[in-house]
Amino acid sequence: MKWVRPGDSDYDEARTVFNAMIDRRPAVIAQCASAADVRSALMYARENRLEVAVRSGGHSVAGTSMNDGGLVIDVRPMKQISFDSETRTATVGGGVTWGEFDRAGQRHGLATTGGRVSTTGVSGFTLGGGSGWLERSWGLACDNLVSVDLVTASGEELTASADENPELFWALHGGGGNFGVATSFTFRLHDVGQELLCGLLLWPIDAARDAALAYRDYLPAAPAGLGGALACLVAPPEEFVPADLQGKPVLGVVAVYAGDPAEAEQAVRPLRELAPAVDIMAPRPYADFQCMLDDQPGQLNYWSADYHDDFPDDAVDIFLDYGKRLPHESSQLLLVPWGRAVAHVDSVLTPMARRDAAWVTHPFTLWQDQAKTGDAIGWAKGFRRDIAAFTSGGVYLNFIGNEGQDRIRAAFGEENYARLAQTKRNYDPENVFRGNQNILPAAAEPVAR
């Protein structure tokens, strides 16, 4: 294990996370390569009464993977990756990113639902649920878990699976990093082959309403293999974009077909027939597709999200109106279709509530000028305010920052939250792991007298 402290040459790199709004200075960063290292770091934190945060990919928009004056357990050195083509499983360390996972899987033509940004850590993404492009085919990342190895607040090493510590395993399907430091994950894998039909379609935003309505109407009943999102973005200065669209707001369809290649063209045809100005749908490796929308680190970030049971015309108009007014060229506004495999998971298998949501809206706000922070955050909050009449009250916590305990409870519902709180009390009664979307430990039962 390597200890990194203020004054060390690599301290600033070690404390830097994806969101440039986060500028925290921990007292010490423990770069852990094993479960034994994690145990030692937790013991050090307890002996020195230090607050604990856990860092993997560092993509928590709220900055929960870093703290001020405390100890950060950095699991990035845990980079082991093992794919088993016969059992169609993969076991990866807690510090692996989705780009690393997907590249390793591509060699076998196998994948599971992973992050939409390749630098996202497998750990936080999966423990928070794991919404990605392949979810309509194979469910969320957590739905594909076989087991998780973790170190609890007391330093105990445990494996959680359907057969071993099953209540803990249930809680890890969306309950986040509340219950321990995950050191290893085993996933079920699925065939993606060497190439999938995937890519991007673009329309000028002022002429995009018909395309947006058609997408809204088509996706709920589209084949389960068709994943992606409707996205408002600024057209990049790339050769495949007409010069008159570059640097301007556009409506995009991100699409990937994870199914029988013979059915792929038919599945995306209704979208390609909507006369896009740009069509770069083509067969390409899944791992390449996963990098298409990567954003550069070092930008300021503010994200939020809401669930929708339907998305009527008035909601589409609000979506497009805000899409015309993106606060920065890196900002995006997503409408993500759920349904299919996301909704077909038995509700007793996961604490995440309202998985039958048809859509998720996600204002994904990025900008660079600190002076424009108020405008950028105001844009995202304004969208949530104006779309509120069409929301269901549910939320996917990986898509939001620190929005308070009410939003955390909304993600699980009261019954599941109470069950999670009991699991939290069983494994972390002192709330050592509170640098997250925090589930408070249930109160101890009064002693009978």
Side-chain angles (χ1 to χ4, degrees):
M1 175 163 58
K2 180 179 180 181
W3 301 90
V4 181
R5 293 181 169 86
D8 291 344
S9 61
D10 52 352
Y11 176 74
D12 283 336
E13 184 281 328
R15 71 181 183 89
T16 299
V17 293
F18 183 77
N19 184 2
M21 289 186 72
I22 308 303
D23 185 21
R24 295 178 181 160
R25 303 185 69 86
V28 60
I29 299 170
Q31 296 182 333
C32 300
S34 67
D37 288 350
V38 173
R39 288 199 314 273
S40 296
L42 288 170
M43 183 179 300
Y44 182 90
R46 182 177 295 275
E47 291 172 349
N48 291 276
R49 298 183 179 181
L50 295 175
E51 181 179 340
V52 173
V54 182
R55 189 252 172 84
S56 178
H59 274 255
S60 163
V61 70
T64 57
S65 50
M66 199 56 55
N67 62 28
D68 279 316
L71 179 143
V72 174
I73 295 175
D74 185 347
V75 300
R76 284 181 294 173
M78 300 183 188
K79 291 292 191 183
Q80 63 271 25
I81 301 177
S82 174
F83 275 71
D84 189 326
S85 298
E86 291 188 9
T87 63
R88 297 164 65 86
T89 60
T91 299
V92 302
V96 171
T97 66
W98 281 106
E100 293 162 342
F101 186 110
D102 294 332
R103 290 294 173 193
Q106 189 69 63
R107 293 194 290 270
H108 305 276
L110 296 170
T112 197
T113 304
R116 294 180 175 90
V117 176
S118 66
T119 55
T120 301
V122 168
S123 183
F125 175 88
T126 302
L127 296 176
S131 172
W133 301 128
L134 302 179
E135 62 199 3
R136 279 170 46 87
S137 296
W138 300 316
L140 306 178
C142 69
D143 300 328
N144 292 281
L145 279 174
V146 176
S147 66
V148 181
D149 293 338
L150 74 166
V151 181
T152 68
S154 66
E156 185 179 8
E157 293 183 48
L158 295 177
T159 296
S161 68
D163 300 318
E164 192 172 357
N165 299 302
E167 188 69 6
L168 176 60
F169 190 55
W170 171 83
L172 297 175
H173 284 66
N178 275 280
F179 310 100
V181 181
T183 58
S184 179
F185 298 82
T186 298
F187 293 93
R188 284 184 295 275
L189 302 174
H190 308 272
D191 286 322
V192 292
Q194 294 308 306
E195 290 186 329
L196 293 172
L197 182 62
C198 51
L200 182 67
L201 310 174
L202 298 177
W203 294 260
I205 195 85
D206 290 328
R209 188 173 189 266
D210 288 346
L213 293 173
Y215 183 89
R216 186 270 322 267
D217 292 341
Y218 176 58
L219 257 291
L226 184 60
L230 199 65
C232 296
L233 65 156
V234 174
E238 300 286 350
E239 291 184 1
F240 63 82
V241 179
D244 62 333
L245 282 185
Q246 293 181 15
K248 296 181 179 178
V250 293
L251 179 73
V253 165
V254 182
V256 56
Y257 192 80
D260 185 342
E263 299 172 356
E265 290 285 356
Q266 182 177 350
V268 302
R269 184 176 298 121
L271 302 175
R272 303 182 85 173
E273 289 177 345
L274 297 172
V278 172
D279 180 347
I280 55 169
M281 291 290 297
R284 55 174 57 87
Y286 170 70
D288 289 352
F289 172 71
Q290 282 289 79
C291 302
M292 284 184 66
L293 295 182
D294 278 6
D295 292 300
Q296 292 300 313
Q299 301 191 81
L300 305 164
N301 283 247
Y302 180 89
W303 314 342
S304 195
D306 284 289
Y307 288 176
H308 307 264
D309 292 334
D310 53 23
F311 211 71
D313 291 5
D314 288 347
V316 172
D317 289 337
I318 293 169
F319 180 83
L320 293 174
D321 178 57
Y322 275 83
K324 295 174 184 177
R325 298 184 281 117
L326 295 168
H328 185 268
E329 63 185 17
S330 296
S331 296
Q332 298 174 17
L333 179 58
L334 301 183
L335 178 65
V336 179
W338 269 17
R340 296 296 186 175
V342 178
H344 292 166
V345 172
D346 192 320
S347 60
V348 303
L349 298 179
T350 170
M352 298 173 66
R354 299 179 183 267
R355 288 191 49 166
D356 58 350
W359 303 95
V360 182
T361 48
H362 182 26
F364 188 81
T365 321
L366 290 85
W367 68 103
Q368 295 178 348
D369 185 350
Q370 286 275 11
K372 296 183 179 179
T373 294
D375 291 341
I377 295 176
W379 173 86
K381 289 185 173 180
F383 174 76
R384 282 205 65 222
R385 179 194 64 234
D386 291 348
I387 206 72
F390 307 103
T391 62
S392 68
V395 61
Y396 171 58
L397 292 177
N398 273 2
F399 276 175
I400 73 170
N402 184 4
E403 297 186 8
Q405 199 67 19
D406 287 346
R407 289 279 268 172
I408 296 172
R409 287 178 175 270
F412 303 115
E414 289 303 316
E415 183 176 347
N416 283 349
Y417 184 88
R419 185 176 168 188
L420 286 167
Q422 182 62 47
T423 305
K424 177 74 167 179
R425 184 164 77 90
N426 292 341
Y427 291 95
D428 185 17
E430 297 177 2
N431 202 15
V432 170
F433 301 117
R434 57 183 177 272
N436 45 46
Q437 299 285 6
N438 196 220
I439 297 162
L440 301 175
E445 297 292 335
V447 177
R449 294 184 183 274

